[in-house]
Amino acid sequence: DQQVKQNSPSLSVQEGRISILNCDYTNSMFDYFLWYKKYPAEGPTFLISISSIKDKNEDGRFTVFLNKSAKHLSLHIVPSQPGDSAVYFCAASAVGTSGSRLTFGEGTQLTVNP
Amino acid sequence: NAGVTQTPKFQVLKTGQSMTLQCAQDMNHNSMYWYRQDPGMGLRLIYYSASEGTTDKGEVPNGYNVSRLNKREFSLRLESAAPSQTSVYFCASSSSGGPEQFFGPGTRLTVL
């Protein structure tokens, strides 16, 4: 069963506009959520995270929102830049899991058009 | 400070051949992980090592073995490669303090 789902395989936006990437999860034990960014032929790099005790976390152009009741989180990028074009993975971690195991979603390919 | 390094970057095997993927980290992290990435399936955990001397199965361990050689190094072995193991393999590490994992550049493996 897919405990973390990213239902949009791809998203295309214009430079300067907002990009919104979505992620849903089913496991209520997840208490920490992360977004990773991946360029072709490179490993994923950590972007931003949020603890379940918060509903919003900002870092520059990137903001992550968490709605625990809906088991939904989203990543907002404002303004979007062509260099943001990459695959974005949502990941979740559960309390008590040893070694900080992460469960990843399928990824969303973001394309920002100049 | 190289972070997480993986060797080789690319490998082509024939069905039934064996090989070992190497991973090393220089961040003094306790935990290390092996993932595979397949199109449309995200990253799936193969094996992980929460600390030196321990290893545990992840989501897709069949056909693989691992060795945590020391705190720095964590290797992944395919004893008898199959075409279904064609994938991109990523190694990652994390400290005890938080769930953020740091990834290597990956190994692209093709099994013919």
Side-chain angles (χ1 to χ4, degrees), chain A residues 5 7 9 11 13-14 16 26 38 40 42 45 52 54 58 60-62 75-76 81 85 88 93 103-104 106 108 110:
Chain A
K5 282 200 69 65
N7 290 312
L11 175 68
V13 300
Q14 287 299 120
T26 57
K38 185 185 179 304
E42 295 184 9
T45 55
S52 61
K54 302 174 84 172
E58 285 183 80
R61 296 186 296 114
F62 302 91
L75 174 68
H76 292 210
Q81 299 173 354
S85 297
Y88 289 79
S93 176
T103 302
F104 284 84
E106 304 94 328
T108 297
L110 173 66

Side-chain angles (χ1 to χ4, degrees), chain A residues 55-66:
Chain A
D55 55 18
K56 177 182 174 182
N57 189 29
E58 285 183 80
D59 184 1
R61 296 186 296 114
F62 302 91
T63 303
V64 57
F65 295 91
L66 175 63

Side-chain angles (χ1 to χ4, degrees), chain A residues 89-101:
Chain A
F89 290 101
C90 167
S93 176
V95 174
T97 53
S98 61
S100 299
R101 287 183 61 168

Side-chain angles (χ1 to χ4, degrees), chain B residues 19-105:
Chain B
M19 80 160 296
T20 300
L21 282 66
Q22 306 286 355
C23 174
Q25 52 90 10
D26 61 3
M27 296 176 282
N28 201 35
H29 285 168
N30 288 319
S31 303
M32 298 185 73
Y33 315 81
W34 277 106
Y35 294 89
R36 60 178 288 173
Q37 185 198 1
D38 302 293
M41 302 191 75
L43 291 99
R44 293 183 293 169
L45 184 65
I46 306 171
Y47 270 93
Y48 68 102
S49 171
S51 60
E52 188 179 355
T54 68
T55 60
D56 285 288
K57 294 178 180 179
E59 184 184 351
V60 288
N62 291 344
Y64 305 96
N65 284 301
V66 290
S67 295
R68 183 74 183 266
L69 305 169
N70 48 56
K71 191 172 185 179
R72 288 187 65 247
E73 297 172 288
F74 188 38
S75 63
L76 179 71
R77 182 159 178 84
L78 287 72
E79 289 291 351
S80 179
S84 60
Q85 294 178 306
T86 293
S87 188
V88 182
Y89 291 84
F90 290 102
C91 177
S93 68
S94 67
S95 69
S96 302
E100 289 88 352
Q101 295 181 13
F102 297 83
F103 285 81

Side-chain angles (χ1 to χ4, degrees), chain A residues 24-38:
Chain A
D24 296 294
Y25 61 96
T26 57
N27 188 341
S28 57
M29 297 299 291
F30 287 146
D31 66 337
Y32 200 84
F33 304 89
L34 307 90
W35 285 94
Y36 281 81
K37 176 178 180 179
K38 185 185 179 304

